[in-house]
Amino acid sequence: MLNFILRRLLQSVFVMLAVSLIAFSLFRFVGDPVAQMVGQETSIEDQENLRERLGLNDPLITQYGRFVGNLVQGEFGFSYRTRQPVSEMILNRMPATLELGLVSLLISLLVGIPAGIYTAIKRGGVLSNVLLISTLIGISVPTFVIGIFLIYLFGVELGWLPTFGRGQTVQIGWWQTSFLTWDGLKSLLLPAITLGIYQLTLTMRLVRAEMQDVLKTDFIKFATARGINYRSLYFNHAFRNTLVPVITIIGLQLGGIIAFSIVTESVFQWPGMGLLFLDSIRYVDIPVMSVYLVLIALMFVVINLFVDMLYFAIDPRVRLKSAHG
Amino acid sequence: MDTLLNISQLSVKFPTRFGEFTALDNIDLSVAAGEIHGLVGESGAGKSTVGAAIMGLLQSPGYIASGDINFMGEQLGSLSAEQYHAIRGQRISMIFQDPQTSLNPLLRVSEQLIETIRQHSDVSHAQARDRAISLLEETGIRDVEQRMDEYPHQFSGGMRQRVVIALALCSDPELIIADEPTTALDVSVQKQILALIRALCTTRNIGIILITHDIGVINEITDRVTVLRSGRVIESGPTAQVLGNPSDEYTKALMAAVPRLDKRLDRFRNIVSDDILTKENTSWVVEGASSKLASDWLLQDHQFDTQEPDDNRQSILSVTDLAVTFYSGQPGWFKRDPGFKAISDINFTMRSGQVLGVVGESGSGKSTLAKAVVGLVDPSHGEMIFKSAVLPPGSRRARTHPARRQIQMVFQDPYSSLNNRQKVEDIIAEPIRFYKMASDNKKIRQLVASVLELVEMPQSAMLKYPHQFSGGQRQRIAVARALVARPEFLICDEPTSALDVSIQAQILNLLKDLQQTFGLSILFISHNLAVIRQISDSVLVLRNGALVESAQTEQFFSAPKHEYSQMLLRETPSLAMLQKQL
Amino acid sequence: MDSTKKSSITESWRRFSRENELVYLFLRNRVAQLAAFIAIVSVGAAALANFIAPTNPYDIASIDIMDSLIPPAWSAEGESRFIIGTDDQGRDLFSAILYGTRLSLTVGLLSIGFASILGVTVGLMAGYFGGRFDAIVMRIADVQLSLPAILTALLIDGIARGILPQDKHDSLMIVVLTVAIGLSLWVNFARTVRASTFVERNKEYVQACQIMGMHPLRIMLVHILPNIMGPILVILTVDLAVAVLLEATLSFLGVGVPPNQPSLGTLIRIGTEYLFSGEWWIVIFPSGMLITMIISINILGDFLRDALNPRLR
């Protein structure tokens, strides 16, 4: 097991190095960092001094090493646009995105998995068909259209829920949370649904397909022939066997949630990292872009490492194989 | 004897887009307690459908069109879904074919047993565990206390099948349906599992329906047998009577097609005609094509002397100290992978125009040997001499190396050995074009049609795609493809193991004819000793990658030297017993 | 089943349609037929936008700002000139939607073409040769997967903004967008093709070719590729929907196509600003068009997936 995790860790480090190389190239080669940092009136000499001070004349490999070193220490440099430290900007925005992502992930799993199991078991049933048709709509209607529609219906026509921003938040240390106020929770609802629907659909379709495959296997047929009751048959025998692929895809989906939070945040003016990233693209704010990139990749890598470890808990075959080498 | 199950006039139908398909047509069957009733038939006979119908697990959209299934006085057809599910496992149980796939991989063996036991009787967890232990002991698993908490993949194939049987016994069922319970197992294990089934049947007084395609198995353990064909009962009665003195033509033909372990036949006779083959359109022909043209063309560069006595023929393939080692897929960066030795220290010489049979159980390395010769895997050690020249390993064998044409292969699975997206014409024409043996399109077309006729296929077959043919016909096409390359050396890797016995007999006949006509040297791989006996001149026995015995065929079958060979011969189910009665 | 000569053509068609899995299932699936119809009409209308559209929305001279925000023709203030009304700059919405659809589909098809060629090539080689090449390519795919499609596309767009001067950027936007979407989707093709190739390459018909000494390139293109067209077709369809969706999303976020050539996403973004003041048509019609198109592509994708994947039936 240790061996396996070490190998995965090594792969993760490789992935992170690759991503940081992309981030570094972004930072170094897209536009001139010095020109971005100083005004028009700065003399060539001053610019050259700055260049020397920043180490931009060093060999590229040294620069890359320094870039990675800074990243590891959490020194992300300064934004071209606001001149603030990037770490501060991102830290300010992070709680909003994480809370939004967490809630929509919960929505997508808590609704998607049961619905997927149901449609796999009750094939051809009325409710199954209704659910299946709605998944088609779920993957086909763009996130932003769903958001606009929800805003129009619940915010404008019915006036029940706020249509933008986080509402009232509570500060715990540096973390601003929406979870502790009624207004915050209300504000969270529409964006979370908007973001969750697409993932929910994907989860449901995946669980359904995997369940259908497992239900066709010999061991399920054998368990049926042994008269095992249907509840145990479906949940203990069948569903458990779908977990490995389902968890894999859910790991991937988390990345999707972070990415689509950009869209949701833009529709709902949600002050998260996505909105920050979008602004940084509009204004070509390279430091923010590259740090965001690295952070997203890091999240993804950590999630996948976690997913790999979950395999051990689920599948004895993986456990055994790794014990032997 | 009290009748357990009585099926009368049962018909099962499957609606399909081509109309309604009758899987079972007015079947009668009855099984008594303490008796093993064999259901035998070739693929498509409907034997598994009988089992599914009794279990109430017919695959949708199949349904029972008419007839009754009477189980101890109860009409199973009139039960509600819940009542049926209560009977399943409790009173009727089932054993599946493949122990690799019939156990839940994520649950411990003990969990699966205990759950099944508690499903059917109101006992505590500890009591259920005790029952599970005694069941596993009864089915012959050793160190039960320790092993029962392991997962299925930690058991070998035979042991898994014992677990499956223990699971089927959990609730003391009165009837067990065993669907090909030993087909996926090696012969040595098969014998033990069959003995176990027999013992359980007698001591527990259970009725067993044993579904199989293997007449050897039927002969070995069943009391009564029903022969099915295309959903109809052909013949039914006590096993010794039906097999020893068949009254129906089909049964006779089926018996005649079973290869005998005890004697070598020149040809299989009295063969069931291949329905589809005769229905085929035979009026469509390519101008000037005939099997004569094909054999003339195939022989034109050959100078084989089939008359010469065996000993004087030159050696065509000789193998010295051959070994193949496989390394696991991931390139190891930190430690050296010791690898898995698929075969090692293999030495043999094959004379030209001979058939060398290679026999062994699964994992013996017989296919690896074939792959090393054709160049699909590289040997890790040793030397191969083909036609007195060193045969380079696959990765270093030039694409234009003459052996690429001279050595051809016929594979096991006719469903994967032909490219489904190509017409038969293109499949067979490919070697001709590739080796540039003819360039004129008209000539090629003529050759393709002729070769098809040579392998006893209608010429019109060239217009179709592989999926339009049955397994046996596909295998003929595969033989035709190998043949047009004008090979001198043919490797047949289990060419008949995916086929029904009657088709197997046809293909074996065909291979024998072709071998004699063209003086081919054939390396014939099979797990079936009886097949080996029918076709080969000499035999190699492989076990776990090592050469165990090498001998002339007749000598081998009359007096095998190695202990393992003797065991193989002993354990193979055969019709020998029957022979005495005839 | 005897047939006279007269009906032999219909007979052979009937037999073909019964034996050909895909055709048979399609002829019995009304929903898939409707979806195919809508998809064909959308593509047709988009391709012929120049001829069908009453005005050219890209031609600034023909647009009159006085015509802005006119509601659809059937409402009280509507004008018959503009069937479904106009947008904030006085563009005829119907024409704008036709041109927008053309742009969306062009970007979608081009990027899918790019992604599939790249992905299929890489996937075939990785699946066939395996070993180190496979390991390296799949690691790259892993890195790529850790950056979801929309992020990759945004990033590439951001880089393009950094490198290209503003005026060039606008004219090259379509190319940038195509590359951005294509690069974010090639992994889907590569992974699927690799997996399918791996299965095929272990089949005996491929081994028969290898024994003959056939060139790997020929084995891959002539033998393996036709056998894995099923999964490729499915991804092609499903990812076309994704590509159109991505383009719309990027345009909605304001980083997609230039504003003077509105795609459906751009129109929806403009429409959103007017939705709350009652000018609903600007957002509703482009959204409707976009959703109908994507749903019909997705229905076709689902149909193909079910039809070509017998294990699910």
Side-chain angles (χ1 to χ4, degrees):
Chain A
M1 163 134 187
L2 201 68
N3 198 339
F4 176 79
I5 289 179
L6 276 178
R7 202 166 61 222
R8 296 302 284 177
L9 257 176
L10 203 78
Q11 283 175 3
S12 308
V13 170
F14 171 79
V15 169
M16 285 315 297
L17 281 177
V19 172
S20 62
L21 187 64
I22 299 173
F24 171 71
S25 333
L26 262 181
F27 173 73
R28 188 62 189 78
F29 301 115
V30 178
D32 179 6
V34 173
Q36 294 281 352
M37 280 181 212
V38 299
Q40 293 281 335
E41 65 280 2
T42 315
S43 68
I44 304 287
E45 267 165 52
D46 285 349
Q47 286 194 26
E48 203 43 56
N49 282 338
L50 184 60
R51 194 176 293 276
E52 190 61 42
R53 215 170 60 235
L54 290 172
L56 293 176
N57 293 333
D58 295 347
L60 279 176
I61 186 79
T62 321
Q63 292 188 40
Y64 174 58
R66 193 160 48 226
F67 182 81
V68 173
N70 285 341
L71 279 183
V72 172
Q73 290 166 30
E75 281 174 28
F76 299 155
F78 291 84
S79 156
Y80 292 162
R81 185 167 59 100
T82 63
R83 314 277 156 183
Q84 283 175 304
V86 176
S87 53
E88 204 172 284
M89 289 166 78
I90 286 192
L91 230 49
N92 269 336
R93 302 289 197 107
M94 201 188 278
T97 298
L98 290 185
E99 287 184 359
L100 176 64
L102 182 71
V103 174
S104 45
L105 180 71
L106 284 179
I107 292 176
S108 89
L109 297 186
L110 293 181
V111 182
I113 292 177
I117 296 177
Y118 182 86
T119 46
I121 296 171
K122 304 267 182 219
R123 286 187 75 184
V126 176
L127 183 57
S128 290
N129 284 340
V130 170
L131 281 171
L132 283 181
I133 291 170
S134 46
T135 63
L136 200 63
I137 296 170
I139 56 162
S140 302
V141 180
T143 308
F144 59 91
V145 174
I146 293 176
I148 293 166
F149 173 76
L150 287 178
I151 291 178
Y152 188 72
L153 187 67
F154 292 101
V156 180
E157 286 295 310
L158 298 170
W160 292 350
L161 294 166
T163 57
F164 66 90
R166 295 185 76 185
Q168 254 184 340
T169 52
V170 174
Q171 189 95 18
I172 303 175
W174 57 272
W175 188 284
Q176 266 195 328
T177 178
S178 310
F179 290 155
L180 295 175
T181 62
W182 181 236
D183 189 45
L185 287 172
K186 264 172 41 180
S187 306
L188 187 58
L189 195 57
L190 286 187
I193 292 175
T194 307
L195 183 52
I197 279 184
Y198 183 69
Q199 310 298 331
L200 186 162
T201 327
L202 288 184
T203 310
M204 182 180 147
R205 293 180 136 227
L206 174 80
V207 170
R208 171 171 173 269
E210 292 295 335
M211 269 298 270
Q212 282 185 351
D213 274 3
V214 173
L215 286 175
K216 291 215 168 103
T217 58
D218 277 358
F219 67 83
I220 292 297
K221 283 187 197 153
F222 185 37
T224 317
R226 296 203 305 273
I228 301 290
N229 67 56
Y230 284 110
R231 208 185 43 196
S232 168
L233 199 63
Y234 290 141
F235 294 97
N236 198 20
H237 290 264
F239 181 59
R240 215 197 266 205
N241 272 282
T242 66
L243 278 179
V244 167
V246 166
I247 286 181
T248 310
I249 303 290
I250 288 172
L252 287 177
Q253 275 187 23
L254 271 171
I257 284 192
I258 299 294
F260 273 96
S261 72
I262 299 172
V263 182
T264 313
E265 287 177 13
S266 156
V267 173
F268 287 91
Q269 289 302 302
W270 188 262
M273 293 195 300
L275 213 53
L276 180 68
F277 179 61
L278 211 53
D279 283 341
S280 69
I281 284 186
R282 285 211 189 94
Y283 297 101
V284 200
D285 192 348
I286 299 293
V288 179
M289 273 167 74
S290 52
V291 171
Y292 181 81
L293 176 69
V294 172
L295 274 184
I296 294 292
L298 181 66
M299 267 188 225
F300 191 85
V301 159
V302 170
I303 289 164
N304 273 292
L305 213 58
F306 185 63
V307 163
D308 283 339
M309 286 188 231
L310 271 179
Y311 289 166
F312 277 94
I314 295 168
D315 196 333
R317 286 165 295 186
V318 182
R319 276 204 290 274
L320 205 79
K321 212 157 76 187
S322 72
H324 287 306
Chain B
M1 264 195 283
D2 32 333
T3 308
L4 268 181
L5 179 85
N6 195 21
I7 296 179
S8 60
Q9 298 294 301
L10 179 73
S11 293
V12 171
K13 295 189 173 176
F14 284 85
T16 73
R17 72 178 80 151
F18 304 105
E20 207 157 55
F21 167 69
T22 308
L24 293 180
D25 192 358
N26 291 318
I27 296 273
D28 291 319
L29 185 76
S30 87
V31 182
E35 134 184 306
I36 301 182
H37 193 119
L39 274 183
V40 70
E42 301 188 293
S43 50
K47 47 194 195 302
S48 289
T49 312
V50 176
I54 298 170
M55 294 300 292
L57 293 174
L58 278 175
Q59 219 169 26
S60 161
Y63 67 99
I64 294 180
S66 64
D68 296 323
I69 305 173
N70 186 317
F71 176 68
M72 299 184 79
E74 222 166 342
Q75 293 294 345
L76 293 184
S78 60
L79 295 179
S80 71
E82 286 90 49
Q83 287 168 323
Y84 220 132
H85 196 63
I87 283 188
R88 258 177 239 143
Q90 174 77 281
R91 301 182 63 194
I92 308 178
S93 208
M94 197 156 179
I95 300 169
F96 282 71
Q97 170 176 352
D98 189 356
Q100 308 287 341
T101 58
S102 48
L103 293 171
N104 188 334
L106 302 189
L107 295 179
R108 295 168 199 278
V109 165
S110 56
E111 289 174 305
Q112 304 194 33
L113 278 158
I114 291 169
E115 183 185 16
T116 315
I117 291 167
R118 298 189 71 190
Q119 180 71 46
H120 296 294
S121 51
D122 195 15
V123 293
S124 73
H125 189 274
Q127 283 169 315
R129 196 179 162 88
D130 288 342
R131 276 281 307 282
I133 291 173
S134 66
L135 277 172
L136 288 174
E137 277 167 351
E138 191 180 347
T139 52
I141 290 183
R142 263 164 275 171
D143 304 328
V144 172
E145 290 275 4
Q146 180 194 331
R147 297 217 64 188
M148 71 186 296
D149 288 320
E150 292 181 0
Y151 290 92
H153 67 265
Q154 291 166 284
F155 289 77
S156 70
M159 286 295 142
R160 263 190 247 191
Q161 197 62 316
R162 288 173 194 274
V163 173
V164 168
I165 293 173
L167 274 165
L169 290 174
C170 274
S171 58
D172 285 320
E174 282 117 7
L175 179 69
I176 291 182
I177 297 162
D179 193 348
E180 305 267 10
T182 58
T183 307
L185 304 174
D186 281 327
V187 277
S188 50
V189 185
Q190 162 166 310
K191 186 93 164 189
Q192 296 163 17
I193 296 291
L194 289 178
L196 172 64
I197 291 177
R198 177 83 257 180
L200 291 171
C201 172
T202 315
T203 55
R204 289 173 167 253
N205 200 31
I206 314 177
I208 292 177
I209 296 179
L210 186 101
I211 298 166
T212 183
H213 67 283
D214 189 337
I215 291 183
V217 169
I218 291 285
N219 184 44
E220 191 102 10
I221 80 160
T222 61
D223 301 306
R224 298 174 67 81
V225 64
T226 297
V227 183
L228 290 176
R229 188 192 191 192
S230 317
R232 292 208 184 87
V233 174
I234 297 293
E235 200 166 347
S236 185
T239 304
Q241 181 200 319
V242 171
L243 299 191
N245 188 16
S247 58
D248 190 272
E249 283 305 313
Y250 175 73
T251 320
K252 282 181 194 162
L254 203 60
M255 295 294 295
V258 179
R260 291 289 165 88
L261 196 56
D262 49 348
K263 66 174 178 193
R264 182 185 172 119
L265 303 167
D266 276 344
R267 281 185 70 85
F268 292 93
R269 286 176 211 290
N270 198 3
I271 280 178
V272 188
S273 65
D274 194 337
D275 273 358
I276 313 157
L277 205 69
T278 46
K279 262 189 259 163
E280 202 69 52
N281 175 13
T282 46
S283 59
W284 188 93
V285 285
V286 174
E287 204 187 321
S290 69
S291 59
K292 174 88 171 60
L293 180 85
S295 51
D296 288 349
W297 184 75
L298 289 173
L299 280 171
Q300 78 189 22
D301 288 336
H302 282 216
Q303 55 274 18
F304 282 114
D305 185 2
T306 44
Q307 307 307 319
E308 210 173 330
D310 281 359
D311 299 350
N312 297 352
R313 288 187 192 164
Q314 57 196 20
S315 132
I316 186 157
L317 176 73
S318 109
V319 163
T320 325
D321 292 338
L322 194 73
V324 175
T325 309
F326 289 120
Y327 298 93
S328 64
Q330 293 268 319
W333 284 339
F334 299 115
K335 56 176 181 191
R336 190 90 185 92
D337 183 354
F340 163 70
K341 280 195 175 128
I343 50 173
S344 55
D345 299 326
I346 304 288
N347 291 287
F348 66 87
T349 301
M350 234 181 114
R351 290 189 190 287
S352 162
Q354 274 206 324
V355 180
L356 175 65
V358 181
V359 73
E361 297 186 299
S362 52
S364 61
K366 49 194 194 304
S367 288
T368 307
L369 175 61
K371 285 183 176 166
V373 176
V374 293
L376 286 174
V377 299
D378 281 2
S380 47
H381 183 72
E383 197 180 45
M384 299 177 284
I385 309 276
F386 179 69
K387 294 184 75 182
S388 44
V390 173
L391 190 62
S395 61
R396 271 179 282 133
R397 197 177 299 174
R399 270 199 278 281
T400 50
H401 194 283
R404 295 252 184 215
R405 181 187 63 73
Q406 288 157 346
I407 305 178
Q408 291 292 319
M409 188 152 170
V410 175
F411 296 89
Q412 169 173 5
D413 179 9
Y415 290 91
S416 100
S417 64
L418 303 175
N419 183 350
N420 276 317
R421 302 280 158 172
Q422 278 187 317
K423 271 187 189 172
V424 170
E425 176 173 3
D426 297 320
I427 291 175
I428 298 180
E430 185 152 40
I432 306 179
R433 292 182 205 276
F434 186 79
Y435 299 122
K436 301 195 172 59
M437 297 189 291
S439 53
D440 176 15
N441 279 333
K442 204 177 141 213
K443 173 78 179 164
I444 290 175
R445 207 173 155 86
Q446 226 175 38
L447 280 172
V448 170
S450 306
V451 170
L452 275 170
E453 202 162 306
L454 190 71
V455 296
E456 293 151 26
M457 290 284 286
Q459 294 186 14
S460 60
M462 66 194 281
L463 305 174
K464 298 188 178 179
Y465 287 90
H467 70 85
Q468 291 166 292
F469 296 99
S470 68
Q473 292 169 319
R474 284 163 159 256
Q475 203 60 299
R476 288 175 191 274
I477 296 169
V479 171
R481 174 182 56 187
L483 221 50
V484 289
R486 284 194 206 146
E488 292 165 37
F489 190 89
L490 196 61
I491 295 180
C492 299
D493 187 0
E494 300 263 14
T496 61
S497 64
L499 307 174
D500 283 328
V501 271
S502 59
I503 310 292
Q504 165 170 289
Q506 294 172 18
I507 298 288
L508 288 177
N509 274 352
L510 176 71
L511 285 173
K512 276 189 166 187
D513 291 348
L514 295 173
Q515 196 267 331
Q516 277 158 18
T517 319
F518 302 111
L520 288 169
S521 314
I522 299 182
L523 185 73
F524 192 98
I525 294 168
S526 178
H527 68 284
N528 189 335
L529 278 170
V531 168
I532 291 284
R533 169 149 219 188
Q534 302 310 314
I535 195 151
S536 54
D537 301 312
S538 49
V539 180
L540 296 181
V541 182
L542 292 187
R543 184 193 193 186
N544 296 335
L547 187 59
V548 168
E549 185 166 352
S550 147
Q552 293 296 307
T553 303
E554 291 312 310
Q555 197 184 329
F556 175 81
F557 281 91
S558 54
K561 287 200 194 71
H562 196 277
E563 207 180 313
Y564 177 71
S565 318
Q566 290 161 3
M567 189 276 289
L568 274 185
L569 274 168
R570 200 170 51 237
E571 309 282 87
T572 304
S574 72
L575 300 175
M577 268 162 35
L578 215 60
Q579 210 56 30
K580 290 170 204 144
Q581 291 163 4
L582 274 176
Chain C
M1 229 188 283
D2 16 2
S3 55
T4 59
K5 272 180 190 168
K6 220 176 182 181
S7 66
S8 75
I9 293 173
T10 53
E11 175 58 31
S12 61
W13 161 249
R14 215 176 282 152
R15 189 181 308 152
F16 168 76
S17 65
R18 205 168 23 185
E19 279 170 6
N20 188 309
E21 203 70 26
L22 209 56
V23 177
Y24 173 86
L25 291 169
F26 184 73
L27 290 177
R28 264 150 204 81
N29 191 333
R30 292 264 170 261
V31 180
Q33 287 167 27
L34 182 69
F37 176 74
I38 292 175
I40 290 168
V41 168
S42 310
V43 173
L48 302 174
N50 293 18
F51 307 102
I52 302 174
T55 62
N56 179 357
Y58 297 164
D59 179 10
I60 300 168
S62 73
I63 299 172
D64 187 348
I65 195 76
M66 296 302 288
D67 288 335
S68 67
L69 301 180
I70 296 174
W74 59 84
S75 57
E77 301 115 66
E79 291 180 32
S80 58
R81 284 189 297 154
F82 309 112
I83 309 171
I84 52 172
T86 60
D87 70 356
D88 59 333
Q89 292 174 35
R91 280 188 288 235
D92 172 34
L93 206 52
F94 179 65
S95 313
I97 286 178
L98 282 179
Y99 276 80
T101 309
R102 184 174 73 177
L103 193 61
S104 294
L105 278 175
T106 310
V107 172
L109 288 171
L110 282 178
S111 50
I112 281 301
F114 175 59
S116 60
I117 290 171
L118 183 63
V120 170
T121 313
V122 169
L124 262 178
M125 305 234 295
Y128 186 82
F129 293 114
R132 295 235 184 249
F133 177 77
D134 178 41
I136 291 169
V137 165
M138 285 302 120
R139 276 296 91 78
I140 294 174
D142 276 356
V143 177
Q144 168 96 64
L145 266 186
S146 72
L147 303 171
I150 187 163
L151 205 63
T152 314
L154 278 172
L155 212 61
I156 293 171
D157 184 71
I159 296 170
R161 270 164 206 267
I163 296 173
L164 304 166
Q166 186 64 38
D167 49 331
K168 277 247 183 70
H169 179 256
D170 272 2
S171 58
L172 282 174
M173 206 51 235
I174 307 260
V175 180
V176 173
L177 212 54
T178 303
V179 171
I181 297 174
L183 275 183
S184 63
L185 294 179
W186 74 274
V187 178
N188 294 350
F189 286 94
R191 288 171 73 97
T192 308
V193 169
R194 171 182 174 268
S196 313
T197 304
F198 192 75
V199 172
E200 293 299 319
R201 116 172 218 132
N202 289 321
K203 286 197 180 162
E204 291 167 348
Y205 75 89
V206 174
Q207 294 181 3
C209 297
Q210 290 170 334
I211 292 170
M212 284 168 68
M214 203 178 277
H215 195 279
L217 203 64
R218 188 179 150 89
I219 298 181
M220 279 188 263
L221 295 181
V222 177
H223 290 274
I224 295 180
L225 192 58
N227 277 289
I228 60 171
M229 276 322 280
I232 294 179
L233 204 61
V234 173
I235 301 272
L236 218 49
T237 323
V238 172
D239 274 17
L240 176 62
V242 175
V244 172
L245 216 68
L246 264 180
E247 183 279 324
T249 305
L250 291 176
S251 298
F252 175 81
L253 293 175
V255 291
V257 297
N260 60 344
Q261 291 180 24
S263 81
L264 292 176
T266 326
L267 288 173
I268 297 171
R269 175 163 54 95
I270 297 166
T272 320
E273 291 160 24
Y274 294 89
L275 177 63
F276 305 124
S277 52
E279 285 90 11
W280 51 269
W281 59 92
I282 310 180
V283 72
I284 289 295
F285 290 114
S287 305
M289 182 66 207
L290 182 64
I291 294 170
T292 317
M293 205 160 67
I294 295 175
I295 286 185
S296 58
I297 300 174
N298 273 329
I299 289 176
L300 286 177
D302 277 6
F303 164 75
L304 286 175
R305 189 199 303 267
D306 290 349
L308 297 172
N309 190 354
R311 78 197 170 117
L312 283 184
R313 278 207 308 278

